[in-house]
Amino acid sequence: QTVLQGIILLPLRAICIAFILLLAWLFASIATFRHPGKGSVPLKGWRRRMIQTTLSCLTRTLFFVMGFQVKVKGKIASLREAPIFVAAPHSSFFDAIISALTGMPSIVSRAENLSTPVFGTILSSLQPVAVSRQDPDSRKNTVTEITKRALSRGQWPQVI
């Protein structure tokens, strides 16, 4: 029975995951198409709403297909209450669950991640704070950018 489920369930889940990732890439591409600034200007209006609703829903669906069910206890802090949202240990793909549940905030990510074929486009749509490991001033620039976004009075999304 377990082998039969593995033969049927594994390919079905893989197909669903690939389809969801392609949909997420499509929506991220549409939201960032011809956007001025490429990360230096916050997404606004329909672009930001598209990212918040569709990518959040697709990410939740993706984790459900992978077998994760997450229940939120309590109230998620709004952008005005907490412009910076801290998640620990910040070392695995579980950060994506937190991102989906909090409305797809900006994240701090390695600059190299933005050049990854499908995931780079999705990540770019979240307007991450890119950290370069080769740049000696990167740590200072990251702190400056996070501070700028936190003090923007709601123009930028939360930073996780």
Side-chain angles (χ1 to χ4, degrees):
Q1 182 181 1
T2 304
V3 173
L4 185 61
Q5 286 177 345
I7 292 171
I8 296 170
L9 213 53
L10 183 65
L12 187 61
R13 281 186 173 182
I15 291 168
C16 287
I17 289 169
F19 180 70
I20 291 168
L21 284 175
L22 287 176
L23 272 178
W25 172 81
L26 178 66
F27 283 114
S29 297
I30 291 169
T32 57
F33 182 69
R34 291 192 177 229
H35 181 259
K38 289 291 180 191
S40 61
V41 179
L43 290 175
K44 295 180 181 176
W46 67 269
R47 295 174 189 266
R48 184 66 195 149
R49 282 191 305 276
M50 179 185 281
I51 295 301
Q52 286 177 325
T53 56
T54 57
L55 284 188
S56 182
C57 180
L58 287 171
T59 305
R60 287 178 185 213
T61 305
L62 180 73
F63 279 104
F64 178 77
V65 167
M66 290 191 301
F68 294 98
Q69 294 180 14
V70 180
K71 183 178 180 184
V72 177
K73 293 183 177 182
K75 179 180 158 267
I76 297 171
S78 70
L79 174 60
R80 299 272 186 210
E81 293 172 325
I84 299 174
F85 184 76
V86 179
H90 188 63
S91 61
S92 68
F93 69 96
F94 290 113
D95 293 345
I97 294 174
I98 295 169
S99 291
L101 295 174
T102 57
M104 304 310 281
S106 291
I107 60 172
V108 178
S109 177
R110 292 185 315 161
E112 297 86 21
N113 292 344
L114 297 173
S115 60
T116 307
V118 173
F119 294 106
T121 304
I122 296 169
L123 186 62
S124 294
S125 71
L126 299 179
Q127 300 186 292
V129 176
V131 179
S132 174
R133 298 192 182 207
Q134 285 77 29
D135 184 10
D137 295 329
S138 183
R139 184 174 289 182
K140 185 180 92 171
N141 295 340
T142 301
V143 170
T144 304
E145 182 65 20
I146 291 172
T147 305
K148 179 184 97 172
R149 291 183 182 199
L151 298 175
S152 70
R153 297 182 188 227
Q155 290 183 3
W156 287 93
Q158 282 179 315
V159 178
I160 186 170

